[in-house]
Amino acid sequence: MPETKIKILPDFIANQIAAGEVVQRPESVVKELVENALDAGAKTIAVIVKEAGKQLIHIVDDGAGMSEEDLKLSVKRHATSKVFSAEDLEEIRSYGFRGEALASIASVAFLEIRTKTEEEGLGWKLISEPNKEPVIEPVNMSSGTQIFVKNLFYNVPARRKFLKANLTEFRHISDTMIKFALNRPDIRFTFYDDETLIFDVMPSGIVQRIKDILGDKTSGALIKVNHETKYVTVTGFVGEPSIAKQSKAGQYLFLNKRSINSKSLSHAVYSAFEHLLDKNNYPFYVLNLQIDPKNVDVNVHPQKHEVKFDDERYVYRIVNQAVLEALRDKALTPDFSIDNSIAVNPFEKSNPTGDNDFVLVNKATGEIIDRELPRESKSGGHDFVKGGDYNIPRNRDAGRFDSGRELSAFEELFGKEEGSVANKPVAQAPSDPHIMQVFNRYLVINTGIELLLMDQKKAHERVLYDKAMNSIEGKINNSQELLFPVTIKFNASEIAVLKDAGDYLEGIGYKFELKDDSLVLTGVPVGVKPGKEEETIRMITEDLHEHDYRNTDNPGEFVARAYAARCAVGNIKLNSQEIKSLYHDLRANGNRLSPDGKIALTVIKPDDLKKILSGK
Ligand code: ADP
Ligand code: MG
């Protein structure tokens, strides 16, 4: 047989690669294992974590359990009892379906599974260590499954190092546990942080569950939402305006019993509240959408926070209407009218702009965005749940900027009404390449010899980052003076962060003076758009606050990166001038990766196209 260059990856390597997708942090393990327990029909699920799950994640369920044979198979890749045919994939009703979680976890941690079915007298225990054959032996136990995940990522130091401080990792876990608890009030959840009971909630109705988890204040201010159409059912609650928060911490959205993040649907609720809320406030909600699984694609990313609806605009409108109706019934909105002329038949795809083919994505990291637990959740976790308020103890002003972000997300989804150059080819001088913006986020550039694909945000980040780094190194002046100084209020801990990071911030081009409770901005880096001075410095401060940047290898670099990420253009339509200057900047820069190592620019040669088109 001739020597081949292409080899099939050994299972172990394949699992570790898959683990990179499935297991990003302890929270992902918790999520996968709790979902498995729910899929197994458990009525009681206990979760115990030690050191924010880095040392131990222990999950106990009273579900169906596994036979010895199933136990052996469960840790093999693509072993699943849930999807057997392509048709099954079309309508997924279980949480799991990839058969990747256990295999992935087994490749990056010590894993022990104990399990017993109702029918069998004896249970089975599987002990697995990365890169070794698992060992199985009988064990005495009651029916159900117990899983222990120890020393996550101990064999992948780079990933272990990447984990955040315990407080942050724990916050992710408890956020996920709260979502499960709110999503499935029919299940008893017990959640321990080491020895500390965070919550133990009995099966109940949703209102009682909201009370158990979030407290009386919230459960006493709920407005029922119930709206049904042929395509989608929206049920649940929104909070009265009195319990709105300055952040999105109290927003829970479930689709077919799966927690999802959706900027557009979050906006759909928000805009129904429009005139009822103070500026910078966000409504509380726990909403469930039911849509025939056939019309939803969750098979987009292993993290599965992403969802693709057949008709996004329609779902947006229905959610918006459902909330408006609920508020009207409470006599909270004096008057409103639904414009039925724009009602859309979900089965006929409306696509007037030709570009609503998008995917709802949480950040690439799979992290839960815009959701905060109290900073002291470790010690105060108990209070937080029992004492009951989902509010953030810190006074966060950051929320106000989210509305800006929402808007652009909204525009991104539905486009601006006014004529925009975005989807039309840009007029060029003859020597210029043809540049076209597509899907509001990529630039396609035809140079005549090759095709360049550019991710506009990543590209812009690269450009801003390099200028900031050059500025830190004293090579360029990256600062522009403000005509009028801007005074921005910050709380004490933010002031401390700003003081601490002062030199770096000045390094990248900020000029400011610190007072006890405010910052007076007199100059900003050139990448800060006029009018965005306050918003961007706030977000950067937030990032520094959140990420313990002092402990990174190069704090200055971290500051530059935060600046680049916060000031880069989002996924929005750009005008032809912006498109051109982005292209020229990146070309001058010559770097094809974004600061965080993502591809900002890729080159497609005629041969590549030939391959694509011939399917080779
Ligand atoms: P998936 O959930 O996508 O099927 P997993 O790797 O998460 O893949 O799990 C593999 C299989 O192991 C599941 O399909 C299920 O049959 C079995 N399994 C996992 N966890 C449990 C559990 N807690 N109780 C019973 N069976 C389980
Ligand atoms: Mg699973």
Side-chain angles (χ1 to χ4, degrees), residues 207-253:
V207 175
Q208 181 62 38
R209 181 56 62 89
I210 291 174
K211 185 173 172 184
D212 289 345
I213 294 287
L214 303 173
D216 301 351
K217 193 176 156 221
T218 303
S219 66
L222 299 175
I223 301 168
K224 197 176 172 109
V225 176
N226 191 351
H227 186 103
E228 199 177 331
T229 73
K230 247 162 98 179
Y231 180 79
V232 52
T233 306
V234 187
T235 55
F237 296 92
V238 293
E240 288 170 9
S242 63
I243 61 163
K245 303 293 171 199
Q246 291 206 331
S247 80
K248 297 184 189 165
Q251 306 198 328
Y252 302 92
L253 184 63

Side-chain angles (χ1 to χ4, degrees), residues 363 440-443 454-464 564-571 574 582 594-595 600:
K363 288 250 169 71
N440 292 336
R441 63 180 72 179
Y442 305 108
L443 303 184
M454 194 190 275
D455 178 326
Q456 67 188 39
K457 179 163 197 309
K458 296 283 162 223
H460 199 205
E461 273 183 45
R462 177 84 241 169
V463 171
L464 294 179
R566 294 313 193 172
C567 295
V569 291
N571 297 325
L574 300 178
L582 194 51
S594 72

Side-chain angles (χ1 to χ4, degrees), residues 36-37 40 61 65-66 74 79-82 96-102 145:
N36 280 348
D61 74 56
M66 286 177 267
S74 69
T80 176
S81 54
K82 299 164 196 173
F97 56 87
R98 291 169 176 273
E100 279 182 333
L102 288 179
T145 301

Side-chain angles (χ1 to χ4, degrees), residues 467-480 497-514 519-526 537 540 544 549 555-556 559-560 563:
K467 283 186 182 157
M469 288 307 282
N470 283 335
S471 169
I472 287 180
E473 286 158 20
K475 292 184 196 149
I476 59 164
N477 173 19
N478 195 39
S479 189
Q480 54 187 347
V497 171
L498 286 162
K499 194 177 268 171
D500 189 61
D503 287 351
Y504 300 117
L505 289 167
E506 278 179 19
I508 66 172
Y510 278 105
K511 294 210 166 66
F512 58 85
E513 215 183 292
L514 278 175
L519 168 141
V520 184
L521 205 54
T522 56
V524 294
V526 287
I537 184 78
I540 294 166
L544 302 183
Y549 80 106
V559 174
Y563 153 72

Side-chain angles (χ1 to χ4, degrees), residues 24-290:
Q24 276 150 357
R25 52 179 5 134
E27 177 272 334
S28 351
V29 174
V30 171
K31 175 173 170 286
E32 292 291 339
L33 297 184
V34 172
E35 287 186 349
N36 280 348
L38 289 168
D39 281 343
K43 290 278 166 257
T44 303
I45 300 172
V47 174
I48 300 110
V49 298
K50 290 197 172 162
E51 271 193 48
K54 294 174 188 172
Q55 190 197 326
L56 174 72
I57 295 165
H58 179 191
I59 310 234
V60 185
D61 74 56
D62 62 354
M66 286 177 267
S67 66
E68 183 188 4
E69 279 312 300
D70 281 341
L71 178 59
K72 275 185 199 156
L73 281 173
S74 69
V75 292
K76 298 265 179 264
R77 207 147 90 94
H78 299 149
T80 176
S81 54
K82 299 164 196 173
V83 171
F84 302 104
S85 66
E87 288 78 54
D88 285 351
L89 256 187
E90 291 284 290
E91 41 180 312
I92 286 160
R93 290 175 197 277
S94 58
Y95 291 106
F97 56 87
R98 291 169 176 273
E100 279 182 333
L102 288 179
S104 298
I105 294 166
S107 75
V108 292
F110 294 102
L111 173 68
E112 183 177 322
I113 307 177
R114 298 178 200 172
T115 189
K116 186 180 101 57
T117 61
E118 197 74 61
E119 303 78 47
E120 285 174 290
L122 211 55
W124 295 96
K125 176 164 101 175
L126 175 148
I127 299 176
S128 134
E129 207 176 307
N131 219 357
K132 286 195 185 149
E133 266 308 301
V135 182
I136 295 201
E137 54 191 57
V139 66
N140 246 320
M141 64 181 287
S142 50
S143 304
T145 301
Q146 289 209 26
I147 300 196
F148 302 78
V149 177
K150 290 180 205 157
N151 292 339
L152 183 63
F153 295 140
Y154 82 94
N155 61 336
V156 201
R159 305 216 56 186
R160 178 105 188 163
K161 217 178 109 192
F162 186 73
L163 293 178
K164 300 274 159 45
N166 283 359
L167 210 60
T168 309
E169 295 298 345
F170 182 78
R171 224 191 292 161
H172 284 290
I173 295 173
S174 84
D175 202 345
T176 290
M177 288 304 297
I178 287 168
K179 287 181 187 165
F180 276 123
L182 292 173
N183 188 7
R184 298 296 302 266
D186 55 322
I187 305 290
R188 175 177 176 184
F189 287 99
T190 308
F191 176 33
Y192 280 92
D193 175 17
D194 209 342
E195 314 266 270
T196 312
L197 177 66
I198 305 297
F199 58 70
D200 179 10
V201 285
M202 294 299 154
S204 67
I206 177 67
V207 175
Q208 181 62 38
R209 181 56 62 89
I210 291 174
K211 185 173 172 184
D212 289 345
I213 294 287
L214 303 173
D216 301 351
K217 193 176 156 221
T218 303
S219 66
L222 299 175
I223 301 168
K224 197 176 172 109
V225 176
N226 191 351
H227 186 103
E228 199 177 331
T229 73
K230 247 162 98 179
Y231 180 79
V232 52
T233 306
V234 187
T235 55
F237 296 92
V238 293
E240 288 170 9
S242 63
I243 61 163
K245 303 293 171 199
Q246 291 206 331
S247 80
K248 297 184 189 165
Q251 306 198 328
Y252 302 92
L253 184 63
F254 305 105
L255 168 65
N256 296 346
K257 299 246 175 242
R258 197 186 281 283
S259 169
I260 60 163
N261 295 324
S262 164
K263 282 201 168 184
S264 89
L265 297 184
S266 162
H267 189 276
V269 180
Y270 180 80
S271 73
F273 270 86
E274 202 160 15
H275 302 294
L276 297 170
L277 296 178
D278 288 345
K279 203 168 159 256
N280 311 330
N281 277 357
Y282 292 91
F284 169 86
Y285 58 81
V286 178
L287 290 175
N288 308 294
L289 304 188
Q290 283 295 333

